[in-house]
Amino acid sequence: MPHHYTVTVATGSQWFAGTDDYIYITLVGTERCSERTLLDKPLYNDFERGAVDSYDVSVEESLGDIELVKIEKKKYWFQDDWYCRYISVKTPTGDHVEFPCYRWLVGDKEVVLRDGTARLPQYEQTRTAKTHRRKELETRQKIYRWKEWHPGFPMSIDANAYKNLPRDIQFDSEKGVDFVLNYSKAIENLYVNQFMHMFQSSWNDLSDFEQIFMRIKNTISEYVMQHWKEDFMFGYQFLNGCNPVIIQKCSKIPDKFRVTHDMVKDCLERNLTLEEEVQAGNIYIADYELMEEVTANNTDPCTLQYLAAPVCLLYRNKASKIMPLAIQLAQSPAEDNPIFLPSDDEYDWLLAKIWVRSSDFHIHQTVTHLLRTHLISEVFGIAMFRQLAAVHPVYKLLIPHVRFTIAINTKAREQLICECGLFDKANGTGGGGHVELVQRAMKTFTYKSLLFPEAIKARGMDGKDIPTYFYRDDGTRVWEMVKSFVAEVVDIYYKSDETIQKDEELQAFVKDVCSFGMQDFDYCEFPKTMATKEQLVEYLTVVIFTASAHHAAVNFGQYDWCSWIPNAPSTMRKPRPTKKGQANVKYVMESLPDRGRSCWHLGAVWALSQFQDNELFLGMYPDEHFIERPVKTAMQNFRRNLAAFSREVKSRNEGKKLPYYYLSPDRIPNSVAV
């Protein structure tokens, strides 16, 4: 008597997911295998985009428990890729077995799927399962190879071009990742085409920047345009702008920055000396020493470009606002390196602040954004693909958080930050300076610095004396929610510390990140092994938080804070002032970016601030890699907590002229994909 199995096949809903190719299936059971069966219904277009199709597979004898499903795709007419979401098998006894796939079948390809139950490698029972797991990782290690893009960088994927990447990690559509197309489209949308090629042509006056500024009423960008010259706005950005990671409490005025009480006494509000204000914890510092002697962009012989390495002293006044006290534009005290003060001439002080904002822009783009979210997330992603089988619970947990990351970084290396790339067009660190910056920043890049609460504490910014540090407060809340979710998932699969120590795939993943991804640099302090559940929860929280929340915090505010060019100049065309009294409107305008570079900069910050089409936000997991009920319950709890916090952020922001929403969970994409 024949045994009937019902096979249900789900095709992806993204563009070009469907196929006209022949699809064959073989069911592999503990007792025997089915015949290789063509899945085809007469007079029916099988495997259309978004379709869920069911087929009957009949066998003479029971197959036993279904262990594997083998799918084969054979060419019908021409190359026609297919995206399979999952396969579900209903057995003759009525049981349903889920086989998650979520991958592309390209060309004449065979894919062998395990059922969706997450399993640690040490708990595999059968030889079939162990062999499948080993072969899967051997294949992946050949596909996902490490490569050093520049000496001293974190390692990246070994692919010379985006088109050489495995189809599974490419974008759903080419336009999603084409920087040239996206920047050009942004420039068109912003109506700045007419200025595009006006390089070397200065604006006449600060108000001229309005010619390319898209004025959107009641937005942060408009507020910045109106108030950017004011000291409170300059100080506020250290807390809640694009780069809220530089400011730190000053426990001692550095020897290189010889600010005296007499210089700043008129700005101090508590009848204390400068030294007493330091002791009271009211003085902060922003030091851009990484910028010292970085090579400025010299790719355009017609335009000299300049960089500086400023240091800025900040003061928490009685209203708990952060205000600038003093600015020095180079690291070493010297006669030609004056300390600029709020009491100086209007344009001397304004130009000094502009220089700080320009340096902040460079550190933000290259270190805070590129290195500390994009490149490190790629390291985690490559190691995951190389060392964790698809049935591993940690693979299932992390896969949504590395979605498109390797793709976006590969395209950036191809179009954006490569030699003669888009970065060179408008950025003062283009032409190689950005590479030097990453190499320098790597020397102080530690695992501990990715632990959000630890990083805040290390800068002395964990006290409640600054009530409006929303980046810190919202970030801490999201960190705790991610950590709580990760802990729930870890508890489901790891019953003890010993379980973690015996998980060979997990240990290989962590070692790969440190020994290859971070090149075993002595100073990086990334763990090479996992010993406890607590350590694993922290590590996985770092991976997820860095890719989602931290990237959102430093990426999606770029148009808000950088679209008003004088507030975030991408380059400076005059050297830093070496004495007071030389700045006027003309000098400031000749220092700021010219018309052409302003437009490229505007296109860049607009494009980088846009969400992807069909963006998946934190906690949204439409691909069901996990099939177990306890994990689904943990996901529901996670989403509920995130949604409650989103409502809280929305309520706090109502009526605010400067709302802070970058860490509202409904605006945090799951992964680095922009």
Side-chain angles (χ1 to χ4, degrees):
M1 182 179 162
H3 296 255
H4 296 282
Y5 293 82
T6 304
V7 174
T8 302
V9 182
T11 296
S13 55
Q14 60 268 64
W15 288 105
F16 312 115
T19 188
D20 287 327
D21 282 359
Y22 297 114
I23 304 295
Y24 297 89
I25 195 163
T26 307
L27 305 180
V28 180
T30 48
E31 301 293 324
R32 56 188 60 80
C33 299
S34 72
E35 294 286 321
R36 177 174 179 261
T37 306
L38 175 66
L39 300 181
D40 184 36
K41 293 182 199 170
L43 304 174
Y44 178 76
N45 201 345
D46 304 277
F47 314 114
E48 285 287 276
R49 175 182 164 212
V52 178
D53 301 316
S54 293
Y55 303 87
D56 185 60
V57 175
S58 297
V59 295
E60 288 304 313
E61 295 179 81
S62 170
L63 304 176
D65 295 332
I66 304 295
E67 278 197 289
L68 304 172
V69 164
K70 187 190 292 185
I71 321 167
E72 293 172 79
K73 186 171 79 68
K74 293 293 180 189
K75 191 159 75 175
Y76 168 65
W77 190 249
F78 57 89
Q79 170 97 352
D80 193 10
D81 301 344
W82 177 49
Y83 187 86
C84 175
R85 292 185 64 230
Y86 63 83
I87 287 174
S88 174
V89 178
K90 183 183 175 186
T91 67
T93 57
D95 292 333
H96 285 266
V97 190
E98 298 285 329
F99 293 85
C101 183
Y102 303 107
R103 65 181 87 164
W104 287 92
L105 278 76
V106 179
D108 288 354
K109 187 172 179 181
E110 174 184 296
V111 166
V112 181
L113 303 177
R114 294 280 302 276
D115 80 271
T117 308
R119 291 182 186 83
L120 299 179
Q122 62 263 47
Y123 296 147
E124 293 289 16
Q125 299 295 319
T126 67
R127 195 174 77 182
T128 304
K130 289 175 184 173
T131 303
H132 176 268
R133 197 162 186 144
R134 179 176 51 77
K135 282 185 174 173
E136 179 189 14
L137 289 176
E138 283 171 359
T139 303
R140 287 229 225 104
Q141 283 163 15
K142 287 173 188 165
I143 296 169
Y144 296 90
R145 301 173 308 277
W146 295 109
K147 182 183 180 182
E148 185 181 63
W149 189 54
H150 282 292
F153 268 52
M155 294 282 255
S156 49
I157 195 76
D158 183 7
N160 292 327
Y162 172 79
K163 67 177 189 295
N164 301 139
L165 291 175
R167 182 70 185 91
D168 285 330
I169 60 168
Q170 290 183 20
F171 275 81
D172 290 338
S173 68
E174 184 68 26
K175 77 176 179 65
V177 71
D178 194 308
F179 288 107
V180 174
L181 184 70
N182 290 350
Y183 280 29
S184 304
K185 198 169 80 181
I187 286 159
E188 199 175 303
N189 289 345
L190 297 163
Y191 306 110
V192 295
N193 309 47
Q194 71 267 35
F195 302 112
M196 272 301 301
H197 303 293
M198 296 175 72
F199 286 82
Q200 290 84 52
S201 169
S202 296
W203 303 95
N204 298 318
D205 191 86
L206 287 165
S207 60
D208 279 4
F209 283 103
E210 287 192 56
Q211 291 180 41
I212 61 164
F213 181 72
M214 192 152 101
R215 198 160 183 159
I216 309 167
K217 282 284 174 197
N218 302 318
T219 56
I220 291 174
S221 55
E222 187 186 52
Y223 195 82
V224 170
M225 183 200 79
Q226 292 164 343
H227 298 280
W228 71 281
K229 289 183 184 177
E230 297 169 44
D231 285 357
F232 89 89
M233 176 58 89
F234 178 84
Y236 180 84
Q237 292 177 76
F238 286 104
L239 300 176
N240 300 312
C242 277
N243 197 25
V245 301
I246 298 294
I247 186 172
Q248 53 186 346
K249 191 159 275 190
C250 180
S251 54
K252 179 182 179 293
I253 308 277
D255 293 340
K256 67 183 179 184
F257 196 18
R258 296 171 185 168
V259 183
T260 65
H261 174 70
D262 283 346
M263 287 178 183
V264 298
K265 62 185 177 188
D266 292 344
C267 299
L268 306 179
E269 299 179 356
R270 295 181 178 85
N271 294 320
L272 299 173
T273 65
L274 177 60
E275 183 53 42
E276 287 166 343
E277 292 278 19
V278 170
Q279 297 310 315
N282 297 322
I283 303 295
Y284 297 82
I285 196 164
D287 192 346
Y288 297 90
E289 60 185 332
L290 269 183
M291 293 290 297
E292 191 173 24
E293 294 182 5
V294 169
T295 308
N297 190 337
N298 60 6
T299 58
D300 179 357
C302 300
T303 303
L304 293 174
Q305 297 176 63
Y306 299 91
L307 302 171
V311 55
C312 177
L313 208 62
L314 301 150
Y315 176 57
R316 181 177 66 86
N317 68 12
K318 284 168 85 172
S320 287
K321 285 192 168 75
I322 296 293
M323 306 290 277
L325 271 186
I327 293 169
Q328 182 177 284
L329 295 178
Q331 290 287 304
S332 303
E335 208 170 301
D336 65 352
N337 185 22
I339 293 173
F340 293 94
L341 305 165
S343 54
D344 289 343
D345 176 79
E346 177 191 355
Y347 288 106
D348 280 342
W349 180 236
L350 182 64
L351 186 58
K353 288 191 292 181
I354 287 171
W355 268 103
V356 172
R357 295 293 310 135
S358 184
S359 300
D360 190 80
F361 176 83
H362 297 309
I363 294 288
H364 164 259
Q365 285 291 10
T366 307
V367 180
T368 309
H369 182 209
L370 174 63
L371 171 61
R372 297 181 61 86
T373 64
H374 277 257
L375 298 184
I376 190 59
S377 290
E378 181 176 3
V379 165
F380 291 133
I382 296 168
M384 181 202 77
F385 283 119
R386 286 172 52 80
Q387 305 299 347
L388 298 175
V391 295
H392 199 292
V394 172
Y395 178 93
K396 290 171 182 276
L397 179 67
L398 296 186
I399 186 81
H401 301 287
V402 299
R403 177 177 180 252
F404 303 147
T405 300
I406 299 171
I408 196 81
N409 287 1
T410 303
K411 202 71 172 177
R413 285 187 286 269
E414 201 178 330
Q415 291 185 328
L416 192 63
I417 51 177
C418 54
E419 205 172 325
C420 305
L422 293 174
F423 208 77
D424 289 359
K425 283 190 182 295
N427 279 21
T429 53
H434 59 299
V435 173
E436 294 169 31
L437 258 182
V438 170
Q439 289 165 332
R440 289 180 186 195
M442 277 292 284
K443 292 186 165 58
T444 54
F445 185 8
T446 62
Y447 170 71
K448 207 172 177 182
S449 70
L450 293 173
L451 302 173
F452 188 81
E454 293 283 337
I456 296 285
K457 203 171 175 182
R459 292 188 288 115
M461 299 299 293
D462 52 327
K464 290 300 170 194
D465 45 356
I466 303 178
T468 55
Y469 197 7
F470 302 120
Y471 161 78
R472 171 198 63 199
D473 299 341
D474 293 2
T476 302
R477 291 282 296 279
V478 176
W479 171 273
E480 290 303 328
M481 284 177 222
V482 172
K483 189 175 178 183
S484 172
F485 167 57
V486 169
E488 272 192 77
V489 176
V490 166
D491 278 344
I492 292 165
Y493 296 102
Y494 294 95
K495 299 305 176 194
S496 66
D497 293 345
E498 191 184 6
T499 322
I500 285 169
Q501 293 155 19
K502 289 186 172 174
D503 182 344
E504 291 177 0
E505 286 180 13
L506 177 71
Q507 299 297 340
F509 163 63
V510 172
K511 190 171 192 298
D512 217 12
V513 168
C514 180
S515 299
F516 287 90
M518 292 299 287
Q519 301 207 52
D520 226 348
F521 291 131
D522 294 338
Y523 37 76
C524 79
E525 296 170 8
F526 274 64
K528 286 185 184 172
T529 58
M530 282 286 125
T532 67
K533 285 170 71 171
E534 186 184 4
Q535 195 184 5
L536 177 59
V537 168
E538 179 187 85
Y539 194 90
L540 299 178
T541 304
V542 162
V543 178
I544 294 171
F545 184 86
T546 302
S548 57
H550 207 250
H551 178 256
V554 302
N555 181 70
F556 292 104
Q558 291 189 74
Y559 189 77
D560 288 346
W561 296 101
C562 305
S563 57
W564 181 248
I565 311 286
N567 188 57
S570 59
T571 191
M572 297 292 275
R573 296 179 300 135
K574 289 272 188 195
R576 65 173 177 84
T578 53
K579 60 177 190 278
K580 298 187 184 186
Q582 70 183 89
N584 53 29
V585 173
K586 184 172 181 289
Y587 190 85
V588 170
M589 298 315 299
E590 288 172 355
S591 298
L592 287 167
D594 56 42
R595 295 170 196 239
R597 286 180 176 81
S598 297
C599 295
W600 273 107
H601 168 82
L602 202 59
V605 297
W606 171 269
L608 289 168
S609 299
Q610 305 308 302
F611 294 123
Q612 283 287 339
D613 293 342
N614 307 316
E615 189 71 83
L616 295 175
F617 295 98
L618 191 57
M620 290 169 65
Y621 302 124
D623 291 357
E624 293 192 42
H625 291 278
F626 283 110
I627 63 166
E628 295 96 319
R629 175 53 48 200
V631 186
K632 291 190 175 185
T633 303
M635 286 176 175
Q636 285 167 357
N637 294 338
F638 186 37
R639 279 192 288 272
R640 197 162 42 243
N641 292 337
L642 292 169
F645 185 53
S646 294
R647 290 192 294 272
E648 206 178 305
V649 171
K650 188 180 178 189
S651 171
R652 180 193 71 202
N653 283 333
E654 273 171 16
K656 285 239 178 20
K657 287 190 172 119
L658 278 175
Y660 187 83
Y661 41 70
Y662 309 119
L663 283 163
S664 179
D666 57 357
R667 299 176 71 112
I668 298 174
N670 268 332
S671 62
V672 175
V674 176

